[in-house]
């Protein structure tokens, strides 16, 4: 596999992992990480809270406008082997941002990438899919079909 393809594959794996971790609870991530002997790591950026501007578009294709601000937490972690992970999450959960950053760094590691994928991310992805399926089923149960009756007049 050439370097560009390998890099793109790794970036896609990180992106998919971040999507799952962002929707998971901090306690769930921490519980799954307790099953591993974690390598030495340090906080490059301690968890901190800030604001980001949310942008919107009318109708999905109109001119962009500033909708408002949202609170986010971010953190950065470096493993002793040199991999750097970044974590962002909506809200004020700094510990969750730190755990996401740690998982991001571990996913990039040759020694821990597969373990974290199988032991943390895959089970969380499965939980997320189950929750989404339940929500879809609950929503579908309330679906109302509207129809128009044609009257025989005129």
């Amino acid at each position: 596999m050439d370097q560009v393809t390998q890099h793109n594959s790794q970036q896609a794996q990180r992106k998919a992992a971040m999507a799952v971790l962002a929707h998971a609870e901090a306690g769930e991530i921490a519980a799954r990480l307790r099953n591993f002997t974690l390598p030495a790591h340090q906080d490059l950026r301690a968890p901190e809270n800030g604001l980001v501007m949310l942008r919107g578009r009318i109708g999905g294709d109109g001119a962009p406008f500033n909708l408002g601000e949202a609170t986010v937490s971010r953190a950065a972690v470096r493993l002793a082997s040199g991999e750097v992970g970044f974590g962002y999450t909506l809200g004020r959960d700094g510990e969750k941002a730190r755990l996401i950053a740690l998982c991001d760094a571990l996913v990039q590691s040759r020694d821990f990438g597969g373990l974290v994928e199988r032991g943390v991310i895959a089970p969380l992805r499965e939980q997320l899919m189950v929750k989404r399926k339940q929500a879809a089923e609950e929503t579908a149960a309330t679906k109302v079909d509207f129809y128009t009756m044609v009257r025989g007049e005129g």
Side-chain angles (χ1 to χ4, degrees), residues 37-111:
T37 303
L38 296 175
H41 59 278
Q42 67 180 33
D43 289 347
L44 287 179
R45 179 185 303 266
E48 59 187 8
N49 299 324
L51 296 172
V52 294
M53 180 60 67
L54 301 176
R55 308 270 321 223
R57 290 179 185 266
I58 294 179
D61 60 355
F65 63 94
N66 293 335
L67 182 64
E69 295 175 332
T71 305
V72 295
S73 297
R74 69 178 180 176
V77 172
R78 178 174 42 212
L79 301 181
S81 55
E83 292 85 358
V84 176
F86 301 94
Y88 290 85
T89 186
L90 282 173
R92 305 187 72 156
D93 194 348
E95 181 60 18
K96 180 178 175 182
R98 193 185 70 72
L99 290 169
I100 291 173
L102 178 58
C103 287
D104 184 33
L106 290 170
V107 163
Q108 297 174 64
S109 169
R110 291 181 187 211
D111 298 332

